[in-house]
């Protein structure tokens, strides 16, 4: 029983210690370069929470991160890394905007549903490719998804420049803004956040946090995904089709990433513009999922932390004279400590095992 409690406490302590050590390392680096870390972090928090609008933007940034983090957690539960979240989100972004612009003045419910489904399906289809290759040919999903990121990046550029009808293009490489009938923004959310880009994307994110938790913890499919991730050979022996589960988990992962792209397109920006690099929400989503331990509540808290770091960092040069690059250093430091979480777990375990013999000796003496 004590071991169970300790392992449960470990799951809480490790991410907390990772964040603390990341901030400490960031502070040390600031000191080395002659900046005041206290003033830097004060500037970060002041900028992030200075008004209802800035708080609204925190949730705007967190929405897509939650979806890509959920996508990574589902794939991870099945036993493999989906590094293609950026490309899948990009596919969802392009598809949702294209369909949204094509809907014209259609009723809001019809137009919005069609655009969201287009983005989700696009993400799912692009993720199905590496899933099928992994399941039936044993290819490395890491290599395939990394290459897919580049394929989708340049394909999206080609689509915007040469495929989408000119009537939907504002300037070269940039589409027109979608209509209000297909936007995730609402007057209510805009008014309560003092004019921020807060949109229904964060509401959908909260809903999917619950849905994915239910899927993974309360359904047969979730059990099968976890079982295949732990031991595909034993799962096959128990009558599960590991190939089917691999493809299904990858499709679900891609659909969630595609939904992250939908929120980006229909909520955050309202259009699509050519990207020079892979979307950061893909790789940030991986870090959010790792920091949150793959759990819904952990992903929620981690996404909000990353949003605060990114948005608050914009005020560090103005209020404290600290370069924004140091914000990326703090984030990278946190990711680093999450990556070596096994070392933190090892230290905590050794500390616990040192206490146990003392406790047993006391009990023996009493006996």
């Amino acid at each position: 029983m004590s071991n169970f409690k300790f392992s449960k406490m470990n799951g809480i302590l490790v991410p907390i210690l990772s964040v603390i050590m990341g901030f400490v390392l960031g502070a040390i680096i600031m000191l080395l370069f002659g900046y005041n870390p206290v003033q830097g972090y004060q500037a970060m928090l002041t900028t992030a929470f200075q008004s209802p609008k800035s708080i609204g933007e925190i949730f705007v940034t967190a929405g897509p991160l939650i979806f890509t983090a959920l996508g990574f957690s589902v794939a991870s539960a099945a036993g493999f890394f989906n590094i293609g979240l950026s490309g899948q989100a990009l596919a969802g972004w392009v598809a949702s905007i294209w369909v949204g612009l094509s809907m014209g003045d259609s009723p809001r419910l019809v137009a919005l549903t069609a655009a969201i489904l287009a983005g989700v399906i696009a993400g799912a289809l692009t993720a199905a490719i590496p899933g099928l290759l992994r399941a039936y040919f044993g290819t490395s999903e890491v290599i395939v998804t990394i290459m897919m990121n580049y394929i989708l990046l340049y394909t999206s550029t080609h689509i915007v420049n040469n495929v989408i009808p000119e009537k939907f293009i504002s300037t070269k490489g940039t589409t027109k803004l979608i209509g209000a009938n297909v936007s995730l923004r609402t007057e209510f959310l805009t008014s309560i956040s003092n004019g921020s880009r807060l949109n229904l994307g964060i509401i959908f994110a909260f809903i999917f946090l619950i849905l994915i938790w239910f899927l993974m913890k309360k359904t047969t499919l979730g059990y099968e995904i976890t079982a295949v991730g732990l031991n595909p050979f034993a799962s096959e022996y128990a009558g599960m089709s590991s190939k089917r589960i691999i493809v299904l988990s990858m499709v679900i992962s891609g659909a969630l990433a595609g939904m992250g792209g939908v929120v980006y397109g229909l909520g955050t920006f309202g259009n699509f513009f050519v990207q020079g690099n892979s979307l950061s929400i893909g790789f940030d989503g991986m870090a959010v999922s790792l920091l949150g331990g793959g759990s819904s509540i952990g992903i929620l808290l981690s996404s909000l932390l990353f949003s605060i770091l990114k948005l608050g960092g914009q005020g560090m040069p103005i209020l404290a004279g600290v370069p924004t690059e140091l914000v990326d250093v703090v984030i990278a430091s946190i990711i680093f400590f999450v990556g070596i979480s096994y070392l933190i777990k090892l230290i905590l375990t050794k500390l616990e095992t040192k206490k146990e013999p003392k406790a047993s000796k006391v009990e023996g003496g009493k006996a």
Side-chain angles (χ1 to χ4, degrees):
M1 191 69 168
S2 61
N3 287 335
F4 173 75
K5 287 182 179 178
F6 178 66
S7 62
K8 193 173 182 181
M9 185 62 68
N10 245 355
I12 299 172
L13 281 177
V14 170
I16 292 175
L17 289 174
S18 299
V19 172
I20 292 173
M21 287 189 283
F23 276 112
V24 169
L25 182 57
I28 293 172
I29 293 173
M30 282 191 231
L31 284 172
L32 290 175
F33 284 93
Y35 299 104
N36 187 323
V38 175
Q39 291 180 357
Y41 288 140
Q42 281 180 344
M44 176 189 291
L45 294 175
T46 300
T47 303
F49 297 101
Q50 64 182 339
S51 67
K53 183 175 182 179
S54 62
I55 295 173
E57 289 296 327
I58 290 174
F59 288 100
V60 170
T61 305
L65 285 179
I66 289 172
F67 281 110
T68 52
L70 285 173
F72 183 80
S73 70
V74 171
S76 181
F80 54 89
F81 272 20
N82 180 8
I83 312 295
L85 296 164
S86 296
Q88 293 147 22
L90 187 61
W93 186 359
V94 174
S96 63
I97 290 296
W98 192 349
V99 171
L101 290 171
S102 301
M103 296 304 293
D105 297 325
S106 301
R108 179 174 173 79
L109 183 61
V110 175
L112 191 55
T113 302
I116 291 174
L117 286 176
V120 170
I121 292 171
L125 289 176
T126 52
I129 296 171
L132 289 166
L133 291 174
R134 164 67 186 267
Y136 292 95
F137 299 98
T139 57
S140 169
E141 77 281 356
V142 174
I143 295 174
V144 175
T145 50
I146 288 174
M147 296 308 297
M148 285 290 292
N149 281 338
Y150 288 102
I151 293 170
L152 293 167
L153 175 64
Y154 297 121
T155 300
S156 68
T157 300
H158 172 71
I159 288 174
V160 174
N161 288 332
N162 304 299
V163 180
I164 291 181
E166 289 187 12
K167 63 180 180 179
F168 297 149
I169 302 298
S170 174
T171 57
K172 185 174 177 61
T174 306
T175 70
K176 292 180 178 178
L177 292 172
I178 55 174
N181 64 322
V182 77
S183 175
L184 289 174
R185 299 190 197 181
T186 66
E187 290 184 9
F188 173 72
L189 292 176
T190 301
S191 62
I192 65 171
S193 59
N194 199 23
S196 79
R197 297 175 296 175
L198 186 63
N199 58 79
L200 293 174
I202 190 64
I203 307 298
F204 287 134
F206 289 153
I207 293 171
F208 273 87
L209 282 169
I210 298 171
L211 289 177
I212 296 302
W213 170 84
F214 184 82
L215 169 69
M216 298 304 296
K217 301 295 183 182
K218 302 295 181 181
T219 67
T220 302
L221 176 59
Y223 172 78
E224 290 178 339
I225 289 174
T226 304
V228 169
L230 292 173
N231 194 324
F233 302 107
S235 301
E236 286 279 1
Y237 184 77
M240 303 176 196
S241 172
S242 60
K243 292 180 180 179
R244 178 180 68 87
I245 296 302
I246 287 173
V247 175
L248 263 178
S249 59
M250 198 65 179
V251 167
I252 294 171
S253 178
L256 289 165
M259 187 63 188
V262 169
V263 174
Y264 237 29
L266 304 184
T268 305
F269 297 110
N271 69 339
F272 179 79
F273 46 92
V274 169
Q275 300 297 300
N277 298 294
S278 297
L279 296 184
S280 61
I281 58 171
F283 299 105
D284 289 345
M286 292 169 56
V288 165
S289 181
L290 290 171
L291 181 60
S295 68
S296 291
I297 186 65
I299 286 173
L300 173 60
L301 296 175
S302 300
S303 65
L304 292 174
L305 172 63
F306 270 62
S307 301
I308 291 168
L309 288 172
K310 285 183 170 293
L311 295 172
Q314 297 174 9
M316 291 175 73
I318 301 170
L319 300 179
V322 180
T324 53
E325 289 79 6
L326 286 179
V327 181
D328 295 328
V329 171
V330 174
I331 296 174
S333 301
I334 293 171
I335 296 171
F336 170 75
F337 284 111
V338 170
I340 62 166
S341 59
Y342 71 92
L343 182 60
I344 301 173
K345 289 178 182 177
L346 181 63
I347 294 171
L348 291 174
T349 303
K350 284 190 174 183
L351 289 174
E352 180 67 13
T353 51
K354 283 182 179 179
K355 292 178 183 178
E356 285 180 359
K358 293 180 181 178
S360 61
K361 285 179 182 178
V362 172
E363 289 174 4
K366 286 182 179 178

